[in-house]
Each structure stands twice: as C-alpha cells, then as structure tokens.
Amino acid sequence: MKFSEMRYERPDYEKVKAEYTRLLDRLEKAASREEFRDIFFKINSLKGHIETMSTLCFVRHSIDTRDAFYDAEQEYWDEYRPMYAVFDNRLSSICVGCPFREELYAFIPKTYFLMAEYSLKVFSEELIPLFQQENRLVTEYSNLKASAQIEFEGKTYNLASIAPLAEDTDRATRKGAMDAKLAFYAEHEADFDRIYDSLVRIRDEEARKLGFSGYTQMSYYRMFRFGYDRDMVSKYRSIILEKITPLARRLVEEQARRLGTETVGYFDSAMEFPDGNPKPQGTMEQQVRNARKMYHEMSRQTGEFIDMMVENELWDLESKDGKQMGGYCTSIPDYGMPFIFANSNGTSGDVDTLTHEAGHAFQYYTSSKRIPVSDCQWPTMESAEIASMSMEFNAWPWMEGFFGDKADRYRYTHLAGAVKFLPYGVLVDHFQHEVYDHPNWTPSQRKECWRELEKMYQPYKDYTGAPILEKGCWWYQQGHIFENPFYYIDYTLAQVCALQFWARNQAKDEKAWNDYMILCSLGGTKTFIDLVKSCSLKVPFEDGCLDSVTERIEEFFDSVDDRTI
Ligand code: ZN
C-alpha cells in the first residue's frame, strides 16, 4: 500500500484503555504458555496499531509542519503517549514475572524479556516530575540552538544553513563562517552551562531515587547494554586510543599536506581536498534511479526491497518549505513497512541517505517478515547502526554511478571520515562518564575535563585562534550530550563492526554478504554481542578486534594516490 493511502485515525483512548486492560488482566491469569502466547500476540497487534497511528502522524507532521490537522494530532500524541506507555509498563511487569517465561522463548524472543526487565528498573511514577523537568531543559537547549541568527558577509544564517560553508574552497570564508558560528556559542556560554548543569543534577537525582549509585549505572540499563559493562567500555576506549588515534593523526597530516597548510585548523576539518569535496551528480531523481539499479545488482533481496520502497512511495527525500530538518528511518508496524525521511541538499549526504537510511530500512524490511513481536524487529541502538553503516560500505562498488570520476575521492573521504570519527566518538562517551561520576563539578571543571580528554583522543586538533574551543566548549554543539545521554558509544561500536564488513568486502570474502543478511534478518532477537558473533564479526571489546581492520585500512591509504583522485 502506498504511504499516502495509509489511513490515519486517532485512537479512542478510553476504548483502547478498556481493551488493553481487559487483555492485561487475562494475560496476568494465563494458565498455560499457549494461552499466554495467544493473549500476548493480541496485545502485540493492539500495540502495533497504536504505534502505526502515532508514526503516520509523526511522519506526516514532519513532512509539513504547517499542516493544521497533523499539527493538532501531534499535540494529542505528545499528551497521550505517556498515558499509553503506562499499559506497556504493566505488560513488561507481567512478562517479567511470568512463571513459565523460559517456555515462551520459542514464541517471544529472550531479548524481549531482557528489555522488559531493564525498562522496569529505570522507571517509577514518582520520577515523572523529574522527567518532565528534564524534557523542558532539553527543549530549551534545542530552542536556544534554533534561535541562532548568525551574521556573516551581509547574510543571516542559522546553524544548519551556515554548515555547508565549512566545505567552502576559500579558506578565509571557512574561517570567517566558523568564527561567526563560534561567536554564537561564546555569547551563550552561560546558558549552555546552566542548562547542562541542571540536566546533570536532575539525572543524578533520578538515578539515586531509583537506588542506583549514579546516572552512569542507570544509563547502562536505560540503553539496554546487555552483556557488557562500563569496565569493558573503558577498555574498548583504550583500544581505540591505541590503534585508531595514530591512524587518524596520519590522515590529518595528509589532509594538511593536501590543503597546503601546516596544520588542519579548527575551520579546515571538513575540507578534505583543496579543490572541493566530492559532490553527487545530477538531480535527486537521477540518484534514486541509480540507487534502484545498485540495489538490483547487489542482491535479489535488496532488489525486491528497493522496488517495494519505490512502489509504495516510502520516502520523502527533497528539502522543502515547512519540512522539519534532519533525516531518519522509522517503521509502520501494521504494514511491516519502513519509511525514510531526508532533506537533500546536493552534498554527498544525499547519497548517504540512499545507503545509510536505506540500510536501516532494509534491515527492518528483512527482520519484520520473520519476527512477529514488533518490539524485537529493530535491534538495540549499537546493533541497529551496524546494518546502516555496513550498507554504506556495501555500496562502494556502485559509487561511480553517483560521483562519476570522483568516486575514488568519495571512497577516500568516506573511509577517512569513519576512521577520524572513532576517537571523537569515544571521547564523547568518556566525557559523559566523567561528568556523571562527578555530579557536583562546576561548569569550568567539566570544560577542563573535556579539553584534557580531547588532547588525549584527538591530539591533532588545532584550536589556535579560537579561545572558546581552547576553553573546552566544543561539546556545546553535540546534541546527544544534552538530549540523549550516553547514546554515542553506539555509533563507534557499530562503526568498528561495519569496518570489519568493509575489510571483508575488500578481501573479496564471499561469505560477507551472507553474514550481512544474517545480521538484518536477526533484527532485535539477539543482544549486541550475540548478534556480532552470529555474523562472524569480532566483538569490539575483545583484544585484537581491530588488528586485521587497521592493517587493511593502512594498506588502503598506502595504495591510494590522494594527489590524483
Ligand atoms: Zn543510523
């Protein structure tokens, strides 16, 4: 069914409440695993339908925020979603307490019960006022960033519209634009400090009220970190520091040589080639045609997937007035279909949408066909990103179709970006551990900590001429630190796995595609560690997990002549 034909109707809360409660009462008293299973799946459909309505509204509202109907419906969901969540919470509690839980694993994946257990540990109705305060502060942070009016060379920009100037071929323009942007952060330093300080204190209070030693411990439950703990994560960060930071340093030095500068200045980082970063050719429509050809050539499954996406119009890619910023991939449970939302802008990011977001969509399309429990169709965050980041690498052989004779330049930039991202990603994670371990730190202590860690993980950063960065304020820009605490190491864990798929593709390992298919079809039925093992990848926490990958990355950069691509 085409996305535009999917019918939206606001659920009648009182009716849903009566039905959900009746089913939960029966589930609680279920006397056999068969009875439990049958009622559980009735609830699964009911939940899926509510989710479908909420998603249809969310997507249509984000495509056109000026549409009065969906604007009003969005308000309904903002108000009612927590009320529906109360039933989900009771469902978790019944499932966790079920006396024949292990007998149910044949129908309901074990990960479902693990997630239910963890969800219960981090929720208490008593905490709702604190959660509400936290939400208000997060909204204040995003409103503050959205309010930016940056004057530069006679024009007014916001934080999104000034971003492309970081790739301007004129160095003075890059510096001027970056300084203008940083002036906004410097001007609002006290606001960012106050918002973050309050967030840290509120989150610490939530954790202590639930009986945790602090917010870090609570977050390992919030983020569904199954089978690994903070010590393993800390060891993993030191592997990145030891193996990847030197590699990133080498790439930054080569970047400086290409740019003809002594160092890569704070305004040069996004600029890989002095005559410009690779840009996709043609219109978005042509790129969609390219993507369709690529997925047909990649495999039978991806061919069927892309036809399904096109036929059912399951994306909205063009940037237009009234549309929200950013990009995402979501799912519509009643139809078992994914949906991709993007804002194309003529940069290589447009191709990333057709590989990264399509990788998410392909994973959902594959897993939802065989997993009936909707909560287990998507895996946890760190696992979900493996499917998307690996698809970016799976698409490498087709990049000529998107970038013409600049395809090698794209591949170089893509891989260099992946390598340089890893030290930054673990820095963000390390910083958050320190912050929540020391909830009484002053804002200056936090900034000192950030700068110190930055010098450790990214010693090649040159902040000469940018006092606000020297002071340790780079992270004001990193929304996750404010909005989604501790959600960041996930991207790096996934990248380490995706790089393993990349290395296997480079080595023409014929089993690599099959393992990628296993990853997608398992969805959320396994924990991160088990999932990684199931597709013959090394677990990022193990010693030597990166050895074969770093060797091949070095080989790649040794063999490319970056002067001619
Ligand atoms: Zn993603």
Side-chain angles (χ1 to χ4, degrees), residues 300-528:
R300 178 182 56 77
Q301 297 94 333
T302 46
E304 288 167 7
F305 155 74
I306 199 72
D307 288 346
M308 188 270 313
M309 294 296 288
V310 172
E311 274 154 31
N312 297 297
E313 297 165 1
L314 296 172
W315 51 37
D316 197 277
L317 305 173
E318 308 272 357
S319 196
K320 53 199 165 204
D321 282 348
K323 190 168 169 176
Q324 267 177 14
M325 309 265 306
Y328 61 78
C329 172
T330 185
S331 51
I332 314 161
D334 276 0
Y335 303 94
M337 288 180 189
F339 189 90
I340 296 176
F341 173 96
N343 277 285
S344 64
N345 63 2
T347 68
S348 61
D350 296 354
V351 177
D352 298 341
T353 301
L354 295 169
T355 56
H356 182 101
E357 298 303 342
H360 282 305
F362 178 65
Q363 180 260 296
Y364 177 80
Y365 166 78
T366 312
S367 68
S368 61
K369 280 199 280 194
R370 55 174 292 274
I371 304 165
V373 178
S374 55
D375 285 339
C376 296
Q377 290 166 339
W378 290 108
T380 45
M381 306 285 210
E382 70 299 56
S383 304
E385 293 300 325
I386 308 176
S388 54
M389 289 175 159
S390 303
M391 188 61 103
E392 296 176 30
F393 290 122
N394 289 338
W396 265 31
W398 288 272
M399 285 302 115
E400 268 73 12
F402 295 97
F403 294 97
D405 61 0
K406 289 282 174 266
D408 277 334
R409 188 176 277 205
Y410 169 79
R411 286 186 275 258
Y412 181 101
T413 307
H414 181 204
L415 188 65
V419 170
K420 286 193 262 180
F421 172 71
L422 289 173
Y424 174 70
V426 298
L427 153 68
V428 170
D429 181 66
H430 195 156
F431 174 66
Q432 297 189 84
H433 278 79
E434 294 295 335
V435 164
Y436 291 102
D437 281 354
H438 303 96
N440 295 319
W441 268 359
T442 62
S444 321
Q445 284 172 305
R446 292 188 194 110
K447 287 181 264 193
E448 274 162 35
C449 169
W450 172 269
R451 190 66 191 111
E452 218 170 278
L453 292 172
E454 205 173 36
K455 284 178 178 161
M456 178 165 106
Y457 289 106
Q458 301 183 292
Y460 36 79
K461 281 238 168 176
D462 180 4
Y463 288 162
T464 313
I468 185 81
L469 299 180
E470 284 284 13
K471 209 171 173 185
C473 298
W474 205 101
W475 55 276
Y476 288 173
Q477 311 171 66
Q478 189 60 61
H480 297 71
I481 293 177
F482 291 80
E483 295 160 344
N484 304 97
F486 287 97
Y487 175 32
Y488 215 73
I489 197 76
D490 308 67
Y491 295 112
T492 77
L493 292 168
Q495 190 67 277
V496 166
C497 296
L499 284 169
Q500 294 182 57
F501 272 125
W502 168 81
R504 291 173 66 181
N505 291 347
Q506 291 291 104
K508 309 255 177 289
D509 175 350
E510 283 174 5
K511 293 201 185 92
W513 176 257
N514 192 39
D515 281 332
Y516 180 75
M517 282 305 301
I518 292 176
L519 172 89
C520 292
S521 56
L522 284 172
T525 59
K526 285 198 184 287
T527 63
F528 170 66

Side-chain angles (χ1 to χ4, degrees), residues 114-185:
L114 289 174
M115 287 192 283
E117 243 170 53
Y118 276 33
S119 308
L120 291 173
K121 280 188 205 290
V122 294
F123 183 79
S124 152
E125 278 190 43
E126 183 205 357
L127 258 56
I128 289 176
L130 287 173
F131 291 147
Q132 287 167 334
Q133 277 185 56
E134 195 186 338
N135 288 344
R136 276 196 291 274
L137 286 159
V138 166
T139 307
E140 196 186 342
Y141 168 75
S142 67
N143 288 346
L144 177 57
K145 285 214 300 189
S147 75
Q149 296 272 302
I150 302 162
E151 302 296 332
F152 178 61
E153 288 184 343
K155 265 182 80 180
T156 307
Y157 294 86
N158 59 32
L159 288 171
S161 61
I162 202 157
L165 294 183
E167 293 187 34
D168 196 284
T169 47
D170 178 46
R171 197 166 194 231
T173 303
R174 291 203 297 274
K175 182 173 183 325
M178 179 60 95
D179 286 341
K181 183 175 95 168
L182 290 175
F184 165 76
Y185 285 101

Side-chain angles (χ1 to χ4, degrees), residues 62-111:
S62 61
I63 290 172
D64 186 1
T65 52
R66 298 166 308 184
D67 182 316
F69 175 77
Y70 284 110
D71 194 41
E73 289 306 294
Q74 194 54 38
E75 263 174 48
Y76 165 82
W77 285 104
D78 287 346
E79 191 188 336
Y80 276 75
R81 203 173 292 109
M83 291 160 71
Y84 287 112
V86 172
F87 310 126
D88 300 342
N89 196 58
R90 191 176 158 211
L91 173 65
S92 293
S93 146
I94 295 171
C95 289
V96 167
C98 173
F100 35 87
R101 168 174 159 171
E102 284 180 18
E103 293 171 44
L104 291 162
Y105 291 165
F107 317 109
I108 307 169
K110 192 176 170 187
T111 46

